[in-house]
Amino acid sequence: MQQMMSSRHRTLSQLLTAWRMMDNSLHSALSPQPPAPGPHLRTLCSTTSEADTIQIHKRKLFLWFSHLPQEEKQFGGYFSPETMHVDPLIVERKAEERAGRLSPPMQTQSLSSPSVSVEQLFEPTEAWTEGRGINVLLYGAVGTGKSTVVRKLVLDWCSGATLNHYKLLVPFSCEDLSQLSKVSSLRDLVSRKYLHLKKHPLLSGEGNLAKDVLFLFNGMEKMNLDFRIGSTELCSDPSEALPPDVVVVNLLRKYLLPEASILVTTRLSAMDRIPQKYVNRYAQICGFNDPDRQRAYFTSRLLQQSGKAARDHEAQALIELLYLNLQRESQLAAACFLPSYCWLTCATLHFLHFTDAKAPIRTLTGIYTSFLRLNFGGEVLGTGTSVPIQGHNNSLMLYVIRTVGKMAFDGITYKRTSFSEKELEQWIGGKTKTDEELRQLAMFQTDVLDFFLAPCVESGKHLPKSLSENDERRYVFAVPAMQEYLAALYVVLGENKSALEKLSKRVSVAIGQAGEDVNTLFTILSKFIPLRIFAVFNLIKLFPKLYEKISSHNKGSIARTMAAEMFRTEDSYNEDVLDQVEQNLLGVHGPQPQQLSESHPFELYPIFMGGLLHYGNRVLLQILGCSIQSTTVVQITHALRKHLVRELNKPQPPEEVMDLLVLLYEFQNPRLTAEVLASMRTIHLTNIRMTSLKCFILSSVLSCTPASYHLEELDLSSCLLTQDLLKTLWPAFRHTHNLNLQFNSLGPESCLILRDLLLDSLSSMRSLQLCDNPLLDRGVCILLEALPENQTLKHLSLMHTGMGDHGALQLADRLQQHVGLQELNVAYNNIGDNAALALVDACREHPSIHTVHLYLNALSDVGKKSLYVRGVPRNHVGSGRRVKVLASVTEGSEISEDWHPILRVIRENARSWDRQRVQQQLEVFLRDLEWGRQQQQSLWKRLHFLRVEKGVRQTLRMLDREVPPSSPGYSK
């Protein structure tokens, strides 16, 4: 594949060089003193001019078709149409089997026809007639890759990689042609779009010159072609002006330029609009029918990041996980049968793993909205007639929301992810319809329904128990998140209004259109409400206010739904929503968890509702024919703030807090975010697997708050943080007083970032907990460089960071330069007697330090006794201030007053520490306790020693049984 790409790049380079040379020759030909033209020279100049025109055409086509849509920029701009294209499966069909469909990969039977390329479709066959071009009809459902194949075909022709026997390729968009209102000849249609071809002889109709021309009509379903002789007159003159659809019909009839070949792309439902006798070959584009094609697509998208080796390694790991999930015939494999869903998968994974703080803001809601815009932008629901369907505004996407979206909403309401064929017929078919609506329904079911719904390939996972004995085929949404997105869109668009709400809206709209004419208002309202009601309630004045009140109540109910779904008690201990999205794409590796559809969490549903209110998504939805008014956004936002603040007054588990941050990020409303966070003073994200995206979300959300806003505590313990993630979290750290980073993977280099954080004038860090991070002496020394200038830090925890004597001595030297420190934790390190004594000496002379943690270090019995003696400062013997030194559960022959905190810390952290070392330290504690108990004469003191011994022995037994700790973490 790489060789093919490199050869194509060489071909393109040669082509660009040739174009430059032709431009130079063209300028030479236009010099002010040309030679006198003789007959031979005149012919040569004419031939050169034609060749130059073709090259100009190729160059312009290449530039036009190389342009990528805005949605592709989220991948970092490293792609070109050549490098990211993977050929979908194209199967030639016989005329009698042209309506056949291919099933997803798991149900695909042996194909009756082999796979072909577009170039092979234009090779002459036995049925080919000399002097007549070939008409090829390429068809497929939404999302199978028709437009991508067309783009690649044009680019390959421009570079000379395919269809070289055609000198001229003329692409047309049938959507553009359908918008033309005035009559035009074929040559006018061509020159209107390609001015340089205005007088090209290949389009003159003379001789058989047109045999070198290939016309391409993309999206033929957009045009209302009529092949009846009585409705469409015959025309063989390329210069005769006719309606665009008549010109296309005559080209397909081979009455106009019969030698030219034609490629038409269309949807399944529209392919019979061209009579069979005018089609030489049928070909169905079927998407990606095997995991290898899908893997090639993922590789082309994900394995071309910014060139960093780390990112390439991560991308390769993602591709391998994806490939394993596809090979297991998962539901994702059924979805990725359509290239469009491969795009959605890549876009989502790129969002989850390669979010860059320097790149434009991307949200999950924005990805799904862009996905629908790419596939349904500008699409209308038509059946070949110009009559729009009443009540649906002729928008295909709006039709989807009112049918598939309604079914998605019902599934979420009753916690269901799968649907039977009868339920599909009920939701999509609905009540009895007019003939026109039935025709449009048939088109929708043929082209669009399979795009959203796929047969369930993991029936045991999706079926509720009540249906497990039923053999009826079940259908699920192609990707689970699509159900939640469509349901959210259904609600936010207000499609779940009650009958009263719909009636009041109709009356309000009618009043607005009528103005202030009371008689007109009376006439309009009398159509809705009996006349006798007017005399009692004077509804002419009351109805606008009544509608406003009903409407506002409806928006409030949407906000209540969002808040209630965000904090459902039965979903509280699920993984956070971003991890759920990733698992749906990459699969679950290892023991498969039991999943029951009755308890299926729909936590993306409220998050999508918030994201849909963002202005950028509303603009895209407006293109799709789905309008969300600004007044609706204001009403929902106002009500949502109240409900979120009320819910946040209750303690929430870390997973729910992370989901709330995602909701605020998706909303992209700084004012709402600041108002909600104003009620939060702590953010606990313990045990959340923090990724680059989650760190970016946390920082982005906190950046919406004013500079005066500070969290009392930000708990990021056991979050798998690394040095790179600390850089992303920097804006969040600046809003934090107490930062907990224990139990992560922070090495010495991470201390560079933490040092700069402590030196930052905008930072007000009071407590920094770095327990159980491999900082080593080198990292500790880097961190201590901030102490002379930082005067806000009061609590510093360096427990179990690999600190040795060198780090402890450096800490002792630096302490006097920082006057605000109150508590220092250097327990469970490699500190010996001399370094510990020096550190305690420095602490007792410090003006504010009151506690030092030194237990679980390499201290001798003599060293421990010396530490307690030195706890009283020399210059403050009579002041009563004493430095509390926690080194053991005993102080000589007495019980330490801090024995309980020491044992508690050991219990809570023992499973993550070196088990043998902890056991040795506990055995030392037992020896100290036994010796101290023997020195006591008082029975009461002996009982106290026995109580402490019992606690130490319980901790030893806990280690033997490997019983998990009862508390979530250490708070020092």
Side-chain angles (χ1 to χ4, degrees), residues 721 723 726 741-755 768-784 796-804 807 825 829:
L721 294 178
Q723 178 184 355
L726 288 187
L741 296 176
Q742 63 183 11
F743 295 105
N744 283 294
S745 304
L746 305 177
E749 291 76 15
S750 302
C751 292
L752 294 169
I753 301 172
L754 297 173
R755 177 199 63 189
L768 180 59
Q769 302 173 48
L770 295 169
C771 317
D772 288 88
N773 286 290
L775 303 181
L776 306 179
D777 281 342
R778 182 159 55 95
V780 171
C781 292
I782 294 173
L783 189 65
L784 296 179
L796 178 61
S797 178
L798 298 171
M799 181 173 66
H800 196 205
T801 54
M803 182 194 304
N825 188 342
N829 281 300

